[in-house]
Amino acid sequence: NAASFYGNIVSLCESPVVEGLIYAGTDYGLVQVTEDGGKSWKKIESFPGIPEMTYVSCLYASRFDASTVYATFDNHKRADFKPYILVSNDKGNSWESISGDLKEPHVVYSITQDNIKSDLLFVGTEYGVFFTFNGGKKWIELKGGLPTTAVRDLDIQTRENDIALATFGRGFY
């Protein structure tokens, strides 16, 4: 059993728009939100379409809108290989799926937002990287010589306007 008895914070992000707005995700399916830099927290315990206790693989606060946060969930340890991608436009009070046409076995590990176009999102999955221009209705695989591999982390390098990818096999693209 890879999980501890007490749970761990496995994803943490602060809004780049509002100081003190922080999101924390756990390995046992909770998201905690603070708007005052950690003095008080709101616990979110359930998400539409997400099985209870599903690992919060990534939280990402929007670069453009203080109220928007993205979340990805990974439930592969329970033989569930569905891609789970959610968005909240009210600081975590309500959520909706943006998994669109992305299908299993594309377990999602990470998400990031373009630094210029707010509708352009990228996700790292068990089998590569996908992007969407339309809020997650349609996901397109990003190839360009990238091998079929688990992309565990990704980010936009703003100075050069490049996407940076880290893979499970210690690769960096």
Side-chain angles (χ1 to χ4, degrees):
N1 188 356
S4 73
F5 292 108
Y6 304 107
N8 296 290
I9 293 173
V10 293
S11 183
L12 184 71
C13 70
E14 181 176 17
S15 170
V17 181
V18 174
E19 184 177 343
L21 175 56
I22 302 168
Y23 299 91
T26 70
D27 59 354
Y28 55 101
L30 300 180
V31 171
Q32 303 268 359
V33 183
T34 180
E35 295 187 55
D36 56 15
K39 292 181 183 119
S40 62
W41 292 85
K42 172 180 64 174
K43 180 169 46 173
I44 305 164
E45 300 182 75
S46 65
F47 304 87
I50 308 294
E52 187 176 286
M53 303 283 289
T54 299
Y55 188 100
V56 181
S57 55
C58 188
L59 291 170
Y60 187 86
S62 172
R63 298 175 188 255
F64 300 93
D65 178 21
S67 296
T68 299
V69 61
Y70 300 93
T72 63
F73 296 82
D74 170 5
N75 202 30
H76 83 273
K77 288 184 180 180
R78 292 186 182 98
D80 177 1
F81 303 101
K82 294 178 187 146
Y84 295 113
I85 311 165
L86 300 182
V87 64
S88 172
N89 294 307
D90 55 11
K91 299 178 185 172
N93 291 310
S94 64
W95 297 84
E96 69 177 276
S97 175
I98 57 168
S99 299
D101 63 349
L102 197 58
K103 302 292 181 218
E104 60 181 283
H106 291 285
V107 173
V108 181
Y109 300 121
S110 55
I111 187 167
T112 196
Q113 183 180 44
D114 187 66
N115 62 314
I116 297 170
K117 296 181 179 186
S118 64
D119 291 337
L120 178 55
L121 301 172
F122 299 88
V123 292
T125 77
E126 179 67 23
Y127 297 104
V129 176
F130 290 78
F131 68 93
T132 182
F133 283 109
N134 59 10
K137 292 180 187 84
K138 177 158 180 61
W139 290 92
I140 302 163
E141 188 172 9
L142 183 65
K143 287 293 207 177
L146 182 69
T148 301
T149 187
V151 176
R152 292 298 182 113
D153 200 7
L154 44 84
D155 199 11
I156 302 293
Q157 198 283 333
T158 56
R159 187 186 75 215
E160 302 299 327
N161 201 30
D162 287 335
I163 187 167
L165 313 172
T167 70
F168 182 70
R170 294 179 272 188
F172 186 77
Y173 295 85

